[in-house]
Amino acid sequence: MRRGIAAGTAVVLVLEALTIAFVNWILGLAVQHQEMSLAGMDPDAMATGSWVGGGLFALFLIGCAVLVARIALRDEMVGQWGRIVLIVCAVVHGVVGAVVVGLLGWLAFVVMMLILTLLVGTLLMYAPEDQPGGSATEQPGTGEADHRGEVSATGAAIIQLPSRQKPQ
């Protein structure tokens, strides 16, 4: 099931990237053809800014989609940097969702939150699992557990004292 969700997330990110690129291309054309200006700024500069900004954001989303597709294909989480990029992508979706509710309405907000849910779901389903300290039969001082308790990764003993129970 988690492979399917990761693959679906990758597809949704590619569709979102194409949508963002298309919308920014149309906005750039509108600014250029109408010769609109904002505070005296050159319309060609505004159109170019729209195209470059939309293209960079689309490339970021495509990169995130590639990372998520790699997760789906290998059925394991990418490295630390890939995880950080996906977390940044999730945070960006949360912020954009908060902005888009005022600009475009609740439907756009719901779409952004669904994409955010897919990203967070993928991150959580492929989160690294906690590694136990080892079994009780292994030697003390080797980074593993002994009969007194656990040994941390730094070699410091974590002693487990018996819990005190009230007499009945």
Side-chain angles (χ1 to χ4, degrees):
M1 177 173 155
R2 66 184 197 167
R3 273 187 167 185
I5 291 175
T9 304
V11 169
V12 167
L13 287 173
V14 168
L15 292 175
E16 181 185 11
L18 293 173
T19 303
I20 292 291
F22 179 72
V23 166
N24 278 285
W25 177 62
I26 295 296
L27 287 174
L29 286 177
V31 168
Q32 190 177 37
H33 290 301
Q34 295 294 322
E35 295 187 16
M36 298 176 189
S37 105
L38 181 65
M41 186 180 281
D42 183 32
D44 290 332
M46 291 175 58
T48 303
S50 176
W51 293 329
V52 170
L56 289 175
F57 191 42
L59 285 175
F60 173 70
L61 291 173
I62 294 288
C64 292
V66 167
L67 286 173
V68 175
R70 182 176 171 203
I71 291 170
L73 289 174
R74 293 185 178 186
D75 200 24
E76 66 182 12
M77 180 52 86
V78 292
Q80 181 179 6
W81 286 105
R83 196 172 312 131
I84 289 171
V85 168
L86 292 178
I87 291 169
V88 167
C89 186
V91 169
V92 166
H93 277 85
V95 171
V96 170
V99 170
V100 83
V101 70
L103 296 174
L104 299 175
W106 288 103
L107 181 61
F109 174 77
V110 169
V111 170
M112 293 305 293
M113 292 305 105
L114 287 174
I115 297 170
L116 174 65
T117 303
L118 287 171
L119 280 167
V120 171
T122 300
L123 283 166
L124 290 177
M125 284 188 288
Y126 286 98
E129 296 179 19
D130 293 335
Q131 299 297 322
S135 68
T137 60
E138 295 172 356
Q139 298 297 321
T142 62
E144 305 297 338
D146 64 6
H147 67 283
R148 295 172 291 157
E150 295 181 1
V151 176
S152 69
T154 61
I158 302 171
I159 299 173
Q160 296 175 347
L161 300 174
S163 62
R164 295 185 182 182
Q165 298 178 352
K166 293 183 181 180
Q168 296 184 10

